[in-house]
Amino acid sequence: MTWNASETADYYILTAESNSGHKVQLSTNETWAYISEFHCGEEYYLSVQAADSECTSRPSQPAMFYSEPCPPTAVSSLMNCVSNIAVVSWNRSDGAEFYTAVVMEEDGQATSCWSDSEECGIPNVICGKNYTVTVVASNKECHSDPSEMDTLQSVPCVPTDVIVRMNCSDNQAMVSWSASEGALSYGVRALSAMGDVSYCDTADQSCPLSNLTCGRTYTVQVVAQDNICSSLPSPAMTFQSAPCTPYIGDVVLDCYTNSALLTWAYAAGATNYTATAVSSNGYVSTCTSNYTNCELMDLHCGEIYNVTTVAMTDECSSPPSAVLQVESVPCPPEDVEHYLDCSTNTARVEWQASKGADYYIVQALGVREHVSGCETDWNSCELSDLMCGFTYNISVMSVNSVCNVSYSSMTQLKAVPCIPQYVQARVDCETDGVVVSWEPSKGASSYMAVAQGNGGYVSTCDSNQTTCLFDDLLCGLNYSITISASDEMCSSAGSSVVELSMVPCEPQKVSAEMMCGNDTGLVSWEEEEAVASYMVRAYGPDGHKIMCNSTTTTCQLPSMHCGQLYNVTVTALDGECDNSYVHLNLQSVPCRPTNVKASLLCRSNAAAVTWEKASGALSYLVVGVTEDGSHQTGCDTNTTYCDLNDLQCGQTYNVSVFGLDDTCSSVESMKSQMRTAPCAPQDVDVTSMCADGAITVSWAPNPDAQYFHVSAVSSTMMKQYCNSTSTNCTLSNLPCGQYYNVTVQSVRDNCESKPSAVIETCTAPCLPEDVTGRLDCVTNAAWVTWEEAEGVSSYIVLAHEDGGHNYTCTTPTSPCNIPDLKCGTTYTIYVSTVNKHCYSNSSNSTTFELVTGPCTLTAIDVETECYSDTLYVEWEAAEDTPIYLVTAEGHDQSLLSCNSSGSSCEIYGARCGMYYSVIVSAASDKCSSLRSPPKKIKTAPCVPDNVTVVPSCDDNGAMITWGHSHVATSYLVTATGRDGHVLSYNTSVNNCSLSDLHCGQPYSLTISARGDNCTSPPWMTSFTSVPCEPSGLQVDIDCETNYAALSWDPSEGTMEYYGCAKSMDGDVIYCNSTVASCMIKGLECGEVYNFSVEACDGFCNSSFSAPLQEGAAPCPPADLNVQLQKIGRNHWALASWDMVDCPGVEYLVEVMGQIQNNPQALMEVSSYWLSRTFFELPLPCSTAYSLTVRSRNAAGVSEPSNAFNGITAPCAPQNVKYTGNSQSAVLSWDASVFATSYTVYNGSGEDRVKLCETADLSCQLTYFEPNATEVTASNAEGESNPNRDLTGPGSRRRRDLRRNLIMSHKTDKNLEMPQVLSIRMRGLSLYVKWKSVTGASSYTLLIEERNSKERANHTPEVIIVESDVNFHIEKNLRPWTTYCIRLAAKSILNQSFYSFPVCKATKGP
């Protein structure tokens, strides 16, 4: 502000005042001023006054002034999302005439709008930007400061670069786009032409569209969003969802090409299709088509394929269709082999099981037109109707529910040759040969003739011609001759028997023996037919001859010479041929030995015996007998000398010799007499004469000895001897300290007896040398040492004073400590020696004198506290003694000390568990006269150390030991188990035995030592008690391997287990394991074992568990076979099986069946227990049966064998009737269960004549005889009994209209047996599906529970279900149970065979 100057004015006063009363004033020397303190938006009046030092002028005329407008407040902004206009608003400002709103980007670009009101709008704001908004108020001259800033977010930009990618597997569309400025999130929406909508929201730049409808075309758009606005939608994009999943209609297998034709329904959105077949073994076949069918080629045989179809576009594939299973052609059987049973002319054909085969058909085509075959669902089959001598071409065909085109390669089989016919035989007496002839047999390449003698002898003759010669038949026998024909593999049965007799034989089983007592030879032989008498001759080498005759089987040769080998001949005399004889040798009785001599072998107390050789003796027996007969000994030899050992001492023996051969003994030789060595002295005793250095040996009298010899051998091997004729002897001048082994021997004629038992003794011990002693002034004890002396076991040291105060100590070695001697006393020290037999007396002891120090200080006191290392010592101080030395000596001779000039002192460093001797003395000399007597004190006991815990296995305890404490008076031992069991013991020794601990428990152990007043801190450790015996033992024995699997509950604290199987004979087999199971091998089949198990923790074993008795029961028999045959009017089954390799096995045959194949007519039959491997029992006709065999022995009963399932021959047809006359008639009958054909016979003649054979239920006959006609039913197992009960027009029988009604509907074919297509077990529910049977109105389903070994006594459950559809679901079955399913189709009139059982097992619930 400016103004004009005023005269005389020194300065000016400027005043500015507003209407609101705000006033601003300042002074200045100038004619202008600058004012800045105005309030905004107000009208001010300005005036100036001139002033000097005394006066101030009146104010000038006021000048009006408007201050700048105030900044707008409450600024806010918002976007109009549709028009993209930013609207800014504010509150009115004082002094403002108009306003300017500015919207500024982050980069400084600004856009503004002007308004004289409180808001304005800014159009076309750039999308996706962050703006700052300010407002400035203005008047004509000034602008206000900008308002406080507000922020503004513009509308998000439209998303760009939208891309759609299909996730075909999930039928999801992944939509992605470029980021839009200003967008916080995005919304995606897809719409199909059919109105299907899918949408998703996301903050990312992609989003999956799910819930798409398959096979649709969708339009998709993306919208960007922030917290307020949304952008416009992006440009529309189109995409195709995944094609729909095809629905498979059907699949048809072409058996010849092994391909499958698959069809399906059209799938929306699909441009083409791919079908895939995958088997469980990984084989894959695919086909692709633009149509709704294609063919899967090159399927692998024997596989079940899971077939699926996928619809496809250029980009996507649909999910696979539902799985449809198709079974490929079964693989042809391989490795076809046949095994001909030559005994029955039946062939067992075996092959490797073919994948995919439900059953097999075996065809055997004979080269000469005969055909045989069999059908089975196993991989073997038996051809039972082969014709002898035929050659067959055999092939096996695999069959499943769809195809029967898989043939194996062909193999050739030759049947058993036919039995030879017209056999003839004759004997050639001159050569003793037999010639046999016969007619040729069909199929034979060679023949074998067998001649069976009535004594069991058999001879054979092989030939490739039709004649054969026997040249080795035995004489005197009747023979049965048969011929069998053979080819390269088999032999036929034997031909009819031809009987033949041979000529008599030479004597048989001829033997000769001596009757040793009377020199008579006895010759014997076997009696034969056609022999009149026998003659025996004997010739000796010395020319002696003897003979005898007999009509019996023995003859005696008397008075034979000794020692001769006779040649004996036995001749059979029959009156015609006397050239049948036998030679043999006979040795007569040996001669007796001569010149027998016996002499004594003194060292061994044995007799050496000799004699001269005796004729005929192969060996000799020497016998020595005492004169009184109380003892006898002997020896045998094949030489002429022998030693008699084990003779008794001091005896006279008579010795004789006998000659021996293999049979007899000679008479006794002349006796020779001898006397044995003297006996060793008895009751030997030794007396030591310690003072004289001698020992005296004594013994019991022995009259057999001339004198006695005493020997003493020292430990240094020095020997001392003496001889005596009395009963004692003395050894003198023996050195001290020697140990001797003393023995005594008896002597007679320079023959010494064995030494007596050794007696140990010793001489007096030697005296020690270099004996010295020293005084321990602290403890007032004497330490005595010396050099070790010989022969000493211990030393005795005696300290003696004249007043009678004596101290002793005993020790095995130097030194020795004599404690607690009196102060100021003279002691004489004696050292004596002791051993087992002697000791030295005090007169012989080593001596010296020792003087103890004086004790002037008479009273001291020593104290300590528990667990303190300080000893507090007090005494009465003496005059003129400046310093006292206090010394504490421990029992281990360690020293502690302290100095004091007063009457007390503290000694530091005392250890626990110590005895301390404390004295107080003058510092100059602790053994001077100024010293106290020693005072003893014990410190607190230490924590026990060197603790060992050794388990005590027998009493389930533990032996605990610890280091000995010198001061402890007792110990407290506490053991606490983890289960709370507590044992506590007080003991005065350093060991403790804990017993009856709880097995398998960890125990914490504490040990505290107690002294007179103190207790040590506890020593702590832990140990584990003896393991518990295992429980819950289970045994599973495998009969095939004879292994036993043992399992049990784990036992706590166990490192290893030992399993045991003990047989009834005591044999034991073990196994070991670190886990709770193990396997015992090597069980004997048929043995019963006691099984048990024990636990081991590495040191102790637990008790064995309670024995569990199980037997190694035999396995069930294998190779079970059943042959059916008709005997009379009954049908019999011969069951046979392989023998079980196990001792003492018996077998039981069990048969279950359905009579007339009716599940309501059940049959159950069993045999008795038998030891043979076959059994025959009758079975009803038209019965489906299942036969099993069990085995047992002492160890138990086996499981049943694999079942042999079969059917019997059908029953005779019933309700047989005819229409017509004898010239032409129609015969009809009811169906017989299991019949495959029917035969009509005329039985008027000797042999019945077949009139008709058919598979139907009627037959057209000509020349019909009702009374001679019979009808039978047949199948592969045989033919029924005939039914001769015919009714016709002339028969008087009440009409049964129901029967006529039934017959009028009867078809000419039986129902097929249903084929089970699928069986699935889900938990405890069973699902069964089968193939529909033509003509069936319903089905009978049998669900039979099969017993396990554990449920052997449980009655098995049978569930019978009637169903009119081809599937069934059965729920709530037993867990862990096997069920077998059989199925039959039914119509109003008929029922099919039951299908073969198929078994499935449930699992746990």
Side-chain angles (χ1 to χ4, degrees):
M1 181 176 177
T2 61
W3 58 89
N4 292 326
S6 294
E7 292 182 2
T8 69
D10 294 335
Y11 60 93
Y12 301 94
I13 299 172
L14 176 63
T15 302
E17 186 172 3
S18 70
N19 292 330
S20 64
H22 180 249
K23 185 176 181 179
V24 179
Q25 195 173 49
L26 59 83
S27 62
T28 180
N29 296 326
E30 303 295 333
T31 57
W32 60 273
Y34 178 80
I35 301 175
S36 60
E37 290 86 6
F38 297 122
H39 288 179
C40 67
E42 293 195 10
E43 183 180 9
Y44 281 88
Y45 294 95
L46 285 77
S47 63
V48 181
Q49 292 175 292
D52 56 15
S53 59
E54 296 181 359
C55 294
T56 302
S57 70
R58 293 175 60 87
S60 66
Q61 285 291 328
M64 190 178 65
F65 167 75
Y66 288 98
S67 63
E68 66 180 34
C70 291
T73 59
V75 177
S76 64
S77 59
L78 58 89
M79 287 297 303
N80 186 323
C81 301
V82 178
S83 63
N84 199 24
I85 295 175
V87 177
V88 184
S89 63
W90 55 87
N91 290 338
R92 178 175 293 277
S93 299
D94 291 339
E97 296 178 358
F98 62 93
Y99 302 90
T100 303
V102 179
V103 177
M104 183 174 292
E105 295 182 39
E106 293 176 347
D107 59 359
Q109 296 184 20
T111 306
S112 64
C113 64
W114 178 92
S115 174
D116 55 2
S117 64
E118 285 83 22
E119 67 175 10
C120 70
I122 302 174
N124 302 321
V125 178
I126 298 173
C127 67
K129 299 293 186 179
N130 289 321
Y131 291 91
T132 58
V133 180
T134 58
V135 181
V136 175
S138 303
N139 57 25
K140 295 176 182 178
E141 295 181 356
C142 291
H143 304 289
S144 71
D145 292 334
S147 66
E148 292 184 359
M149 288 189 297
D150 186 29
T151 58
L152 175 69
Q153 174 70 45
S154 62
V155 176
C157 297
V158 175
T160 60
D161 302 327
V162 177
I163 299 174
V164 181
R165 294 183 176 86
M166 279 300 299
N167 183 349
C168 302
S169 60
D170 298 329
N171 195 21
Q172 286 186 346
M174 180 60 73
V175 184
S176 62
W177 53 89
S178 297
S180 296
E181 291 191 14
L184 298 180
S185 63
Y186 301 89
V188 182
R189 185 172 184 269
L191 179 67
S192 75
M194 304 299 292
D196 304 303
V197 178
S198 179
Y199 54 85
C200 64
D201 293 308
T202 182
D204 300 323
Q205 291 172 247
S206 62
C207 186
L209 292 173
S210 57
N211 299 323
L212 299 177
T213 303
C214 63
R216 296 277 197 267
T217 300
Y218 282 86
T219 300
V220 65
Q221 291 179 299
V222 185
V223 174
Q225 302 168 339
D226 59 13
N227 294 332
I228 301 172
C229 293
S230 299
S231 73
L232 296 175
S234 65
M237 295 283 294
T238 61
F239 68 92
Q240 184 78 31
S241 63
C244 294
T245 301
Y247 176 76
I248 295 181
D250 197 9
V251 60
V252 178
L253 181 69
D254 187 336
C255 296
Y256 293 97
T257 62
N258 201 15
S259 60
L261 179 62
L262 182 66
T263 61
W264 55 86
Y266 170 76
T271 58
N272 63 336
Y273 304 88
T274 297
T276 304
V278 180
S279 75
S280 59
N281 291 318
Y283 297 106
V284 180
S285 177
T286 60
C287 62
T288 303
S289 173
N290 296 327
Y291 303 100
T292 57
N293 62 76
C294 71
E295 188 173 8
L296 295 165
M297 308 291 289
D298 301 325
L299 299 180
H300 198 276
C301 67
E303 298 287 333
I304 295 178
Y305 285 87
N306 292 326
V307 181
T308 57
T309 304
V310 175
M312 304 176 67
T313 63
D314 293 338
E315 295 181 352
C316 273
S317 300
S318 72
S321 67
V323 175
L324 184 64
Q325 283 194 338
V326 60
E327 189 174 3
S328 63
V329 174
C331 295
E334 296 180 350
D335 300 331
V336 177
E337 296 181 356
H338 58 266
Y339 302 94
L340 185 63
D341 187 340
C342 300
S343 62
T344 61
N345 196 24
T346 60
R348 182 178 181 85
V349 183
E350 296 180 354
W351 53 92
Q352 291 293 331
S354 300
K355 291 178 63 178
D358 292 339
Y359 63 97
Y360 305 89
I361 297 175
V362 180
Q363 294 178 344
L365 304 177
V367 176
R368 298 182 184 177
E369 298 183 353
H370 181 253
V371 178
S372 179
C374 57
E375 183 177 315
T376 180
D377 55 355
W378 300 96
N379 59 343
S380 65
C381 190
E382 188 169 285
L383 300 173
S384 59
D385 57 348
L386 302 177
M387 297 183 67
C388 68
F390 270 62
T391 300
Y392 292 88
N393 291 323
I394 297 176
S395 62
V396 184
M397 177 173 63
S398 300
V399 183
N400 65 6
S401 59
V402 182
C403 297
N404 59 351
V405 297
S406 303
Y407 285 91
S408 69
S409 57
M410 191 171 292
T411 182
Q412 198 169 71
L413 166 69
K414 286 185 178 182
V416 177
C418 295
I419 298 172
Q421 304 295 324
Y422 304 107
V423 180
Q424 297 178 344
R426 59 184 178 84
V427 178
D428 186 346
C429 296
E430 294 182 359
T431 62
D432 291 340
V434 174
V435 178
V436 186
S437 62
W438 58 89
E439 285 193 351
S441 296
K442 183 189 297 184
S445 60
S446 63
Y447 301 89
M448 182 175 70
V450 178
Q452 176 72 50
N454 57 2
Y457 176 77
V458 179
S459 179
T460 60
C461 176
D462 296 321
S463 174
N464 55 11
Q465 305 297 323
T466 57
T467 61
C468 196
L469 174 64
F470 284 99
D471 57 3
D472 60 348
L473 298 185
L474 298 180
C475 59
L477 294 181
N478 294 325
Y479 282 89
S480 298
I481 298 175
T482 58
I483 312 297
S484 60
S486 303
D487 58 9
E488 291 78 4
M489 292 189 64
C490 284
S491 298
S492 71
S495 66
S496 57
V497 177
V498 174
E499 300 290 344
L500 185 72
S501 297
M502 290 298 291
V503 297
C505 300
E506 64 185 22
Q508 299 296 313
K509 295 186 179 179
V510 179
S511 64
E513 60 182 352
M514 287 300 300
M515 300 171 66
C516 302
N518 55 10
D519 291 332
T520 298
L522 177 63
V523 183
S524 60
W525 52 87
E526 191 177 64
E527 185 177 6
E528 295 187 38
E529 296 180 2
V531 177
S533 64
Y534 298 88
M535 181 175 63
V536 181
R537 293 187 178 91
Y539 300 92
D542 61 353
H544 182 240
K545 298 178 182 179
I546 191 171
M547 66 173 290
C548 64
N549 288 290
S550 176
T551 57
T552 64
T553 58
T554 61
C555 189
Q556 291 187 5
L557 300 171
S559 304
M560 302 183 74
H561 294 181
C562 72
Q564 298 295 307
L565 180 62
Y566 284 85
N567 186 357
V568 180
T569 301
V570 182
T571 304
L573 308 176
D574 61 359
E576 295 181 3
C577 297
D578 296 338
N579 57 352
S580 298
Y581 55 86
V582 175
H583 292 291
L584 71 161
N585 292 325
L586 176 61
Q587 177 70 50
S588 63
V589 175
C591 298
R592 75 174 184 173
T594 58
N595 198 19
V596 177
K597 296 180 180 179
S599 56
L600 176 65
L601 301 175
C602 183
R603 287 185 175 275
S604 60
N605 194 28
V609 184
T610 61
W611 59 90
E612 290 186 359
K613 186 175 182 180
S615 176
L618 300 178
S619 63
Y620 300 92
L621 173 65
V622 181
V623 178
V625 182
T626 59
E627 284 186 325
D628 58 2
S630 61
H631 181 255
Q632 178 177 312
T633 186
C635 64
D636 51 57
T637 179
N638 55 9
T639 64
T640 58
Y641 54 89
C642 186
D643 289 346
L644 285 175
N645 297 309
D646 300 325
L647 300 179
Q648 293 182 347
C649 62
Q651 294 284 346
T652 298
Y653 280 84
N654 292 319
V655 180
S656 58
V657 184
F658 297 85
L660 307 175
D661 61 12
D662 295 332
T663 305
C664 293
S665 169
S666 72
V667 296
E668 184 181 14
S669 70
M670 298 294 291
K671 291 182 174 62
S672 175
Q673 197 173 69
M674 63 152 289
R675 194 174 183 188
T676 59
C679 295
Q682 302 297 312
D683 302 330
V684 177
D685 187 35
V686 178
T687 302
S688 295
M689 293 180 287
C690 302
D692 299 332
I695 59 175
T696 298
V697 184
S698 61
W699 53 89
N702 184 358
D704 194 40
Q706 295 173 341
Y707 66 93
F708 300 91
H709 177 69
V710 178
S711 173
V713 181
S714 72
S715 54
T716 59
M717 300 310 293
M718 294 180 60
K719 297 181 180 180
Q720 300 284 340
Y721 302 102
C722 69
N723 292 327
S724 173
T725 58
S726 65
T727 58
N728 59 76
C729 188
T730 299
L731 296 172
S732 304
N733 301 320
L734 300 179
C736 67
Q738 295 294 308
Y739 287 88
Y740 288 94
N741 289 331
V742 179
T743 58
V744 184
Q745 291 175 288
S746 302
V747 183
R748 189 193 68 239
D749 296 335
N750 295 325
C751 182
E752 294 181 346
S753 71
K754 292 181 179 180
S756 64
V758 173
I759 303 296
E760 293 184 352
T761 190
C762 61
T763 56
C766 298
L767 293 176
E769 298 179 356
D770 298 330
V771 179
T772 61
R774 67 178 179 84
L775 181 66
D776 185 340
C777 295
V778 176
T779 62
N780 218 23
W783 287 91
V784 182
T785 61
W786 58 86
E787 291 291 333
E788 297 290 335
E790 290 187 357
V792 179
S793 60
S794 64
Y795 299 86
I796 299 175
V797 180
L798 171 66
H800 174 73
E801 60 116 358
D802 292 339
H805 184 239
N806 295 334
Y807 294 92
T808 61
C809 72
T810 302
T811 179
T813 59
S814 174
C816 190
N817 177 258
I818 304 175
D820 302 327
L821 299 178
K822 288 183 178 181
C823 298
T825 304
T826 300
Y827 287 90
T828 302
I829 308 298
Y830 300 88
V831 181
S832 304
T833 56
V834 180
N835 63 18
K836 182 177 180 181
H837 296 280
C838 298
Y839 63 91
S840 60
N841 54 36
S842 58
S843 61
N844 294 332
S845 299
T846 303
T847 62
F848 68 93
E849 286 189 350
L850 182 70
V851 179
T852 59
C855 301
T856 306
L857 295 175
T858 58
I860 67 169
D861 185 40
V862 182
E863 294 180 355
T864 186
E865 295 182 355
C866 297
Y867 317 125
S868 172
D869 65 345
T870 302
L871 302 179
Y872 183 72
V873 186
E874 288 183 311
W875 61 90
E876 293 181 0
E879 296 181 0
D880 302 327
T881 302
I883 296 178
Y884 294 92
L885 175 62
V886 181
T887 304
E889 181 174 349
H891 63 261
D892 60 352
Q893 297 185 335
S894 61
L895 296 176
L896 300 173
S897 63
C898 66
N899 295 320
S900 174
S901 58
S903 61
S904 66
C905 185
E906 291 183 351
I907 300 177
Y908 299 103
R911 289 176 291 153
C912 63
M914 293 292 291
Y915 270 107
Y916 283 100
S917 295
V918 181
I919 67 167
V920 180
S921 63
S924 59
D925 182 5
K926 66 181 179 181
C927 279
S928 67
S929 61
L930 188 57
R931 58 190 296 273
S932 70
K935 181 75 171 182
K936 293 187 178 294
I937 190 172
K938 292 188 290 184
T939 59
C942 297
V943 177
D945 58 359
N946 297 326
V947 178
T948 60
V949 181
V950 179
S952 178
C953 305
D954 294 335
D955 58 357
N956 195 13
M959 174 57 73
I960 304 169
T961 60
W962 55 90
H964 174 69
S965 172
H966 290 279
V967 301
T969 58
S970 66
Y971 302 89
L972 176 63
V973 181
T974 304
T976 305
R978 188 171 62 187
D979 61 354
H981 180 232
V982 178
L983 287 177
S984 184
Y985 291 93
N986 270 308
T987 179
S988 59
V989 294
N990 60 330
N991 62 78
C992 179
S993 179
L994 303 178
S995 61
D996 298 324
L997 299 175
H998 290 186
C999 64
Q1001 286 291 315
Y1003 277 83
S1004 62
L1005 179 68
T1006 62
I1007 305 175
S1008 300
R1010 294 178 177 175
D1012 292 337
N1013 299 310
C1014 298
T1015 301
S1016 74
W1019 181 90
M1020 293 184 290
T1021 188
S1022 61
F1023 67 96
T1024 301
S1025 60
V1026 175
C1028 298
E1029 68 179 42
S1031 61
L1033 176 62
Q1034 294 182 340
V1035 179
D1036 185 12
I1037 300 177
D1038 185 341
C1039 68
E1040 294 287 347
T1041 61
N1042 280 332
Y1043 289 1
L1046 277 64
S1047 62
W1048 55 87
D1049 297 333
S1051 180
E1052 188 172 3
T1054 299
M1055 297 175 58
E1056 190 169 14
Y1057 298 93
Y1058 297 96
C1060 168
K1062 186 174 183 180
S1063 70
M1064 297 297 101
D1065 296 333
D1067 297 329
V1068 182
I1069 308 174
Y1070 294 97
C1071 66
N1072 63 294
S1073 172
T1074 57
V1075 296
S1077 63
C1078 72
M1079 185 77 70
I1080 292 183
K1081 303 179 180 180
L1083 301 181
E1084 292 290 336
C1085 181
E1087 286 282 353
V1088 176
Y1089 292 88
N1090 285 321
F1091 291 93
S1092 57
V1093 64
E1094 69 176 352
C1096 177
D1097 61 1
F1099 192 90
C1100 286
N1101 294 345
S1102 72
S1103 301
F1104 272 100
S1105 63
L1108 177 62
Q1109 191 171 89
E1110 289 285 343
C1115 290
D1119 199 17
L1120 176 61
N1121 188 33
V1122 177
Q1123 292 181 344
L1124 296 177
Q1125 56 185 336
K1126 186 178 179 184
I1127 302 176
R1129 294 182 60 84
N1130 295 322
H1131 299 275
W1132 289 75
L1134 175 62
S1136 60
W1137 52 89
D1138 287 350
M1139 180 179 293
V1140 176
D1141 185 14
C1142 191
V1145 175
E1146 295 179 318
Y1147 305 94
L1148 179 73
V1149 179
E1150 297 175 311
V1151 182
M1152 298 181 65
Q1154 295 179 0
I1155 301 173
Q1156 295 291 326
N1157 201 31
N1158 183 353
Q1160 304 301 320
L1162 300 179
M1163 174 191 74
E1164 185 171 351
V1165 181
S1166 64
S1167 71
Y1168 50 86
W1169 287 101
L1170 64 156
S1171 58
R1172 62 177 184 268
T1173 57
F1174 62 90
F1175 187 76
E1176 195 168 32
L1177 72 166
L1179 293 178
C1181 58
S1182 292
T1183 297
Y1185 66 90
S1186 177
L1187 186 145
T1188 59
V1189 182
R1190 296 178 187 263
S1191 61
R1192 77 170 184 185
N1193 59 13
V1197 181
S1198 75
E1199 292 288 327
S1201 66
N1202 291 329
F1204 185 98
N1205 297 308
I1207 58 174
T1208 61
C1211 295
Q1214 300 299 308
N1215 196 25
V1216 182
K1217 68 177 184 176
Y1218 65 91
T1219 58
N1221 51 44
S1222 60
Q1223 300 299 319
S1224 176
V1226 176
L1227 194 66
S1228 63
W1229 52 85
D1230 286 350
S1232 180
V1233 177
F1234 296 140
T1236 58
S1237 65
Y1238 301 90
T1239 307
V1240 181
Y1241 295 96
N1242 184 304
S1244 60
E1246 183 176 347
D1247 295 323
R1248 63 183 183 177
V1249 177
K1250 183 186 297 184
L1251 301 179
C1252 171
E1253 185 172 6
T1254 179
D1256 299 327
L1257 300 178
S1258 63
C1259 191
Q1260 180 77 38
L1261 302 176
T1262 58
Y1263 304 107
F1264 173 60
E1265 297 181 60
N1267 295 328
T1269 302
E1270 58 190 30
V1271 184
T1272 63
S1274 300
N1275 60 16
E1277 302 300 334
E1279 188 174 21
S1280 73
N1281 293 321
N1283 187 352
R1284 302 184 180 90
D1285 184 13
L1286 278 64
T1287 61
S1291 303
R1292 299 183 62 87
R1293 177 176 291 182
R1294 184 178 177 182
R1295 293 182 63 199
D1296 189 344
L1297 298 179
R1298 293 176 300 168
R1299 181 172 181 79
N1300 292 341
L1301 177 62
I1302 292 173
M1303 292 302 298
S1304 66
H1305 290 86
K1306 191 165 184 67
T1307 61
D1308 60 353
K1309 271 182 84 174
N1310 290 333
L1311 292 175
E1312 292 182 0
M1313 183 171 65
Q1315 177 188 353
V1316 178
L1317 297 178
S1318 176
I1319 297 178
R1320 294 196 300 272
M1321 193 72 78
R1322 294 289 186 270
L1324 302 181
S1325 297
L1326 171 71
Y1327 171 77
V1328 185
K1329 183 178 181 181
W1330 56 88
K1331 187 175 181 181
S1332 299
V1333 176
T1334 303
S1337 60
S1338 64
Y1339 302 90
T1340 300
L1341 176 66
L1342 298 184
I1343 305 174
E1344 300 171 297
E1345 179 183 343
R1346 173 166 292 182
N1347 270 355
S1348 63
K1349 181 179 179 181
E1350 292 77 9
R1351 294 170 57 86
N1353 297 324
H1354 169 72
T1355 302
E1357 180 182 10
V1358 179
I1359 304 171
I1360 303 175
V1361 180
E1362 299 291 338
S1363 176
D1364 55 0
V1365 295
N1366 67 335
F1367 68 91
H1368 176 71
I1369 298 175
E1370 184 69 26
K1371 298 181 179 179
N1372 299 321
L1373 299 177
R1374 296 180 189 273
W1376 308 111
T1377 303
T1378 299
Y1379 289 89
C1380 295
I1381 294 91
R1382 294 192 292 154
L1383 185 68
K1386 297 172 65 176
S1387 65
I1388 298 175
L1389 307 174
N1390 205 355
Q1391 176 176 307
S1392 73
F1393 297 156
Y1394 274 88
S1395 63
F1396 292 105
V1398 180
C1399 300
K1400 289 284 186 179
T1402 60
K1403 296 185 183 294

